[in-house]
Amino acid sequence: MLAVAGSYKLYNQSMAILGDDFDKWYKRQKKNIRLSIGGKKVLALSNTIYGCLAYERMDEAKPLIDRFKMIIAKNDVPIYKYLCFSHMLSFDEKNGDISNAGNYLSEMYSSLTSGKFPANLKTKFMNIFEYSKSEVEFYTKTPEQLRTVDKRIAEQLNISSKLCVSNLDITAIQTGYPLLMYYYNTGLSYAILGDVQGASQYLGYIASDGTEYPIVKRVNKYIATGDINILLSKMP
């Protein structure tokens, strides 16, 4: 038990440096993947993909996603499939390609509604799924559309983003980037809807974060220029 507790503590410590030093963090995660087995290997692989995508390091993310695809081809585990297709969706989104988004979302939903999906996680992941759907729909529209005929889409992303924040464990080390990501879309949707105070609150938090994530740099650039297209240029 002490060995397991110790390894979990060390793993959390290795995750904690993601916001400070990507290369150091990535080196440790590759080692964690290599040394882990079973579900722990899947967890390490999934977290490493997530970190690579957070930094928009696509060259590092791609082979890891391919490894994950091989795992789900051999193991019909719904939560593994959900995570893999979620990563595939995020990868394509950051490359500006959402042509397969509908297929990925369909696979994610199928996994979620499987009787084998962990019951204690279903509500949380369903909220994230609804957020992912709202995000895809939001980023296919122009700012003018989102302010007028498609205003409900901006409002829905705002609601979904805040709901996902409420599901986060704010004491968890891994919360860092997800919190910024949800705040990004909350602030962006507020900006689109003309709520200056709401946008300032959420985007200001990101701007003062101090990490090297690309979304932090984009928010600071937006604050300096006021150009909303900077925030819309790439999905978080």
Side-chain angles (χ1 to χ4, degrees):
M1 288 177 65
L2 288 173
V4 170
S7 64
Y8 181 74
K9 182 178 180 181
L10 287 173
Y11 181 70
N12 275 341
Q13 289 173 347
S14 75
M15 285 297 297
I17 64 172
L18 173 60
D20 302 319
D21 188 332
F22 173 83
D23 292 323
K24 183 178 179 181
W25 171 85
Y26 182 61
K27 183 177 180 180
R28 287 193 187 183
Q29 298 317 305
K30 287 199 296 182
K31 182 178 180 180
N32 285 333
I33 294 171
R34 187 174 70 253
L35 297 178
S36 300
I37 59 173
K40 290 181 180 179
K41 181 182 285 290
V42 175
L43 173 64
L45 179 60
S46 182
N47 280 340
T48 305
I49 293 169
Y50 197 91
C52 290
L53 293 175
Y55 274 94
E56 297 170 11
R57 300 284 289 259
M58 314 311 283
D59 289 343
E60 286 89 346
K62 182 63 167 62
L64 296 175
I65 292 174
D66 289 340
R67 286 181 65 179
F68 208 156
K69 288 162 67 175
M70 292 174 63
I71 290 173
I72 66 169
K74 298 177 181 178
N75 299 275
D76 188 24
V77 179
I79 194 168
Y80 292 177
K81 292 178 67 176
Y82 179 96
L83 291 171
C84 186
F85 281 105
S86 177
H87 291 320
M88 292 164 66
L89 174 62
S90 182
F91 182 88
D92 281 6
E93 287 173 345
K94 290 180 185 296
N95 279 326
D97 178 12
I98 55 173
S99 58
N100 290 315
N103 293 331
Y104 298 149
L105 288 166
S106 178
E107 292 287 355
M108 290 163 64
Y109 185 78
S110 176
S111 300
L112 266 175
T113 54
S114 165
K116 296 180 180 180
F117 197 92
N120 62 317
L121 296 176
K122 187 165 289 188
T123 298
K124 177 180 178 179
F125 275 78
M126 186 61 78
N127 289 338
I128 297 172
F129 171 76
E130 293 297 335
Y131 162 84
S132 297
K133 278 204 313 179
S134 296
E135 186 181 41
V136 169
E137 197 171 13
F138 180 91
Y139 280 87
T140 60
K141 306 297 181 181
T142 66
E144 183 59 28
Q145 288 173 322
L146 292 167
R147 292 187 187 106
T148 56
V149 293
D150 292 313
K151 185 178 180 180
R152 63 160 188 86
I153 295 175
E155 292 171 338
Q156 183 57 50
L157 181 62
N158 186 278
I159 293 169
S160 293
S161 299
K162 287 188 285 189
L163 182 57
C164 286
V165 169
S166 72
N167 287 333
L168 291 175
D169 176 1
I170 60 173
T171 64
I173 290 169
Q174 294 92 333
T175 295
Y177 184 76
L179 181 63
L180 296 180
M181 176 180 68
Y182 296 138
Y183 271 20
Y184 185 98
N185 277 331
T186 304
L188 171 55
S189 56
Y190 269 134
I192 288 287
L193 294 168
D195 186 335
V196 176
Q197 183 176 354
S200 178
Q201 176 186 348
Y202 286 92
L203 297 177
Y205 179 93
I206 298 171
S208 62
D209 178 65
T211 58
E212 293 297 315
Y213 293 121
I215 61 172
V216 175
K217 297 177 181 179
R218 283 202 292 277
V219 166
N220 277 294
K221 189 174 181 181
Y222 163 73
I223 291 174
T225 64
D227 183 359
I228 198 71
N229 291 305
I230 292 170
L231 298 181
L232 289 164
S233 63
K234 187 168 289 191
M235 296 167 72

